[in-house]
Amino acid sequence: MFMRIDHIGIACHDLEAKIAFFSETFELEVVAREVNEEQGVKEAMLHIADGEGGGSYIQLLEPLSDDSPVGKFLARRGEGVHHVAFGVRDVTETMAKIDAKGVRLLDERPRHGSLGSQIAFLHPKDVGGMLTELVQAASPDEMAKKRS
Ligand code: MC0
């Protein structure tokens, strides 16, 4: 079902400061920056490697407001790992398979994610306390256009 870890999402208060830290300390390249109004975040993708069906990244997330998912997480837990995202071949098909196993989906249909992907979240309480994201990466051509 899972092809690779697509990204680790890290919640932070100051996106620019965290980009500087991660890119300088670990020599990671920022390949995309985006504001995702629907998810309430300003984010950056730092490339680690390429794998089956897409890449692997660190995703840095700054909330657009205190009452967004990442804003609430920061208030409750402070900065740190917010979610783990797995690459899947077909997000709609994977959602149906997981739903049939009784794990709660937080999205009824795929939503727009980083680098042109289609994404859906699973409830952390049903996945051992880990907010889990399914990612169907964009086609290689589409992703190349999104990477700066
Ligand atoms: C909350 N909980 C978490 C959690 N957030 N556990 C692990 N990891 C997290 N990130 C826990 C709470 O501590 C609480 O546990 C329980 O889940 C229920 O929380 P809640 O009171 O309902 O809290 P809410 O209202 O903050 O909702 C949590 C929920 C929400 C996960 C349902 O954040 C959500 O729908 N997230 C999915 C969308 C999202 O996160 N978007 C931002 C990333 P206790 O034990 O205290 O009851 S967007 C993104 O990443 C995109 C751009 C992309 O990847 O492309």
Side-chain angles (χ1 to χ4, degrees):
M1 203 181 269
F2 294 163
M3 297 191 288
R4 62 182 198 289
I5 292 177
D6 184 280
H7 64 266
I8 309 285
I10 298 177
C12 65
H13 291 292
D14 182 341
L15 184 64
E16 294 309 319
K18 281 295 178 292
I19 289 173
F21 172 79
F22 275 88
S23 56
E24 284 163 22
T25 308
F26 303 121
E27 301 176 354
L28 296 173
E29 188 191 351
V30 178
V31 292
R33 290 168 187 255
E34 201 173 322
V35 173
N36 187 325
E37 298 278 354
E38 184 183 35
Q39 297 291 343
V41 293
K42 188 160 84 164
E43 49 115 332
M45 296 295 267
L46 284 72
H47 182 244
I48 295 177
D50 287 315
E52 193 187 350
S56 289
Y57 309 86
I58 293 282
Q59 180 186 62
L60 300 174
L61 299 160
E62 182 188 309
L64 293 177
S65 68
D66 291 344
D67 63 353
S68 63
V70 176
K72 286 199 225 168
F73 178 91
L74 281 172
R76 199 184 276 149
R77 302 185 186 206
E79 293 187 319
V81 175
H82 177 260
H83 65 267
V84 177
F86 297 95
V88 300
R89 221 172 297 281
D90 182 320
V91 70
T92 308
E93 205 175 275
T94 308
M95 288 168 76
K97 277 191 193 168
I98 291 173
D99 186 38
K101 292 181 181 173
V103 172
R104 280 171 288 170
L105 304 175
L106 293 169
D107 300 291
E108 284 176 19
R109 59 183 185 289
R111 297 184 188 279
H112 160 72
S114 305
L115 292 165
S117 63
Q118 293 290 306
I119 63 171
F121 285 91
L122 313 179
H123 202 292
K125 289 287 165 192
D126 293 353
V127 192
M130 176 177 78
L131 177 58
T132 304
E133 181 182 337
L134 309 175
V135 180
Q136 179 183 329
S139 67
D141 282 356
E142 189 61 28
M143 207 185 316
K145 279 189 228 151
K146 298 271 179 186
R147 281 192 191 178
S148 48

